[in-house]
Amino acid sequence: MQENNHLTSSEISNLWAHYIRETLSVCVNKYMVQTIQDPEIHHLFQSALKISSQHIETLKNLFRQEKFPIPNGFTEEDVDLKAPPLFTDVLCLKYLHIMTTHGLNEYSLSFTASIREDIVEFYQQCNLDAMEIYKKAKDLLLLKKLYQQPPTYVTPKKVKIIKNYKYVTNILGKRRPMNSIESGHIYFNLSKAITAKAIMLAFKQVAKDPTVSTLLEKSLQVKNKHIEGFSSLLIKDNLHLPQSLETEITNSTVSPFSDKLMLLQTGFLFGVAVTYYNASVISSMRADISAHCEKAGLNSLWIYSRIGKSMIDHKWMEEPPRAEDRKKLDD
């Protein structure tokens, strides 16, 4: 079925999106390499930068091989390497940890959607690369006592069976405590939301375009609602919360990144949040928790669409690959 060995639509779209994301990562990591003082964190970012650069070269070679136009993505024009530090080393490490988490999910999806052997092998290697950076980032967070551990539960003495529908539907009066699956998802989403908020707050502090600044403010308002909602669920069950990261932003007002980069990065954080919130909806067995996560997902979709509209208004949005218009060809 693939005698001509052409790339499939899934392979093309994944490679295209991967190039955009990877060039963004290179810009951010190059800047962070310039500002990070901690030698261990600095070395890790150098490794991440090297891997991203290798991925970009592979992607460019694939595009040239297929005679496919190389996307613009992000370039040296989107980063100011001379800008003073905007993030502390701690926030830089937290950012790399969360972004590598997202990268692993994207690479896994691209791997399973690929057919051609060279593309399959490329995404197999991308997964291995991301796992290596993720493990090193996690180990550094643990070493520096910065890793936020989810709540722990007492080991059950025996298997229990759910005996009635109240386990799911009883949301009035006294609710049952969250089970470990529910609290795990809520804590994970809260931790990611806290990191995302810190990044957006820093972006708003240095954004130049007034419309971008306004949209970043709206993004912060939405993210604050998510943080408040997830926190309340954990507090009601007397479970601990992750530490906030607002203090890990410096007072610099010099933007290291273009407004285009900051807006796309914000949109990406909301886009992936929808995926994780939906996973929580499916995994949660208490109806009110599912409803809360579903609402958070809808909020994220709303702001994601606003960011997309702004990207188009500013002529910053590259058009994804599309199929030939057969009707136009017939005319």
Side-chain angles (χ1 to χ4, degrees):
M1 292 180 66
Q2 265 203 312
E3 291 178 2
N4 57 16
N5 215 27
H6 287 172
L7 293 174
T8 66
S9 58
S10 296
E11 290 166 340
I12 290 173
S13 60
N14 287 331
L15 292 170
W16 180 87
H18 184 178
Y19 186 86
I20 304 292
R21 293 193 307 269
E22 205 75 83
T23 54
L24 185 151
S25 295
V26 164
C27 288
V28 173
N29 290 349
K30 276 185 177 179
Y31 165 71
M32 290 183 172
V33 164
Q34 292 294 317
T35 61
I36 290 171
Q37 299 297 314
D38 185 292
E40 293 172 308
I41 300 176
H42 185 269
H43 179 72
L44 178 58
F45 267 87
Q46 285 181 315
S47 299
L49 178 58
K50 181 180 178 181
I51 287 172
S52 288
S53 299
Q54 290 171 344
H55 289 178
I56 288 173
E57 285 307 307
T58 301
L59 289 164
K60 283 182 176 179
N61 289 334
L62 285 167
F63 289 136
R64 293 189 188 107
Q65 177 184 324
E66 297 299 317
K67 296 181 173 54
F68 192 90
I70 297 174
N72 294 328
F74 294 90
T75 67
E76 59 186 16
E77 296 179 359
D78 293 294
V79 58
D80 179 4
L81 299 180
K82 295 180 180 179
L86 181 59
F87 316 106
T88 66
D89 291 359
V90 170
L91 185 52
C92 289
L93 183 56
K94 292 268 189 178
Y95 171 86
L96 183 61
H97 180 252
I98 191 175
M99 291 304 292
T100 311
T101 302
H102 299 326
L104 277 165
N105 286 328
E106 297 293 338
Y107 293 152
S108 295
L109 289 171
S110 298
F111 176 78
T112 55
S114 300
I115 300 173
R116 211 170 80 177
E117 191 61 27
D118 58 338
I119 309 299
V120 171
E121 289 177 357
F122 172 57
Y123 279 114
Q124 184 176 17
Q125 184 59 50
C126 287
N127 273 288
L128 293 173
D129 293 339
M131 283 191 284
E132 179 185 354
I133 297 298
Y134 175 83
K135 184 179 184 304
K136 288 180 178 179
K138 178 181 66 66
D139 289 346
L140 260 184
L141 286 169
L142 288 168
L143 178 67
K144 297 178 182 298
K145 302 187 186 310
L146 297 170
Y147 191 86
Q148 303 288 305
Q149 182 172 307
T152 55
Y153 279 57
V154 176
T155 303
K157 296 181 180 179
K158 62 179 181 178
V159 174
K160 293 184 178 180
I161 304 298
I162 298 173
K163 296 180 179 179
N164 57 61
Y165 294 120
K166 287 185 179 180
Y167 190 88
V168 176
T169 60
N170 189 9
I171 60 173
L172 301 175
K174 186 177 180 181
R175 299 167 181 169
R176 65 163 175 80
M178 284 190 287
N179 61 40
S180 57
I181 297 173
E182 293 160 344
S183 65
H185 275 278
I186 295 301
Y187 190 90
F188 177 69
N189 281 316
L190 176 57
S191 181
K192 288 199 313 89
I194 287 172
T195 304
K197 177 192 172 181
I199 298 297
M200 294 172 199
L201 188 61
F203 286 170
K204 182 182 180 300
Q205 184 171 294
V206 297
K208 299 171 184 175
D209 187 302
T211 61
V212 172
S213 181
T214 299
L215 191 48
L216 287 169
E217 176 61 35
K218 291 182 184 297
S219 299
L220 282 168
Q221 291 171 5
V222 170
K223 197 55 69 175
N224 277 330
K225 287 181 181 178
H226 296 171
I227 291 171
E228 181 182 353
F230 292 139
S231 297
S232 66
L233 287 170
L234 292 172
I235 290 171
K236 286 175 182 176
D237 274 1
N238 297 309
L239 299 174
H240 69 272
L241 307 178
Q243 187 176 357
S244 64
L245 295 172
E246 289 91 338
T247 56
E248 304 299 335
I249 303 167
T250 72
N251 60 2
S252 174
T253 56
V254 179
S255 180
F257 309 117
S258 66
D259 286 349
K260 169 188 170 183
L261 185 150
M262 294 190 291
L263 202 54
L264 187 66
Q265 175 70 92
T266 301
F268 175 79
L269 290 171
F270 274 105
V272 294
V274 173
T275 302
Y276 290 111
Y277 293 160
N278 286 339
S280 300
V281 171
I282 295 168
S283 301
S284 299
M285 299 181 71
R286 214 173 77 185
D288 63 314
I289 298 175
S290 293
H292 177 85
C293 294
E294 185 176 13
K295 184 178 180 181
L298 290 172
N299 293 154
S300 297
L301 283 172
W302 176 80
I303 199 71
Y304 183 78
S305 67
R306 293 290 298 271
I307 290 172
K309 181 180 182 299
S310 182
M311 292 284 291
I312 293 172
D313 290 342
H314 284 88
K315 295 180 171 54
W316 292 336
M317 181 77 78
E318 291 186 55
E319 182 180 342
R322 59 176 173 175
E324 293 287 352
D325 189 340
R326 297 297 173 183
K327 291 182 179 180
K328 187 177 291 186
L329 291 174
D330 291 339
D331 294 341

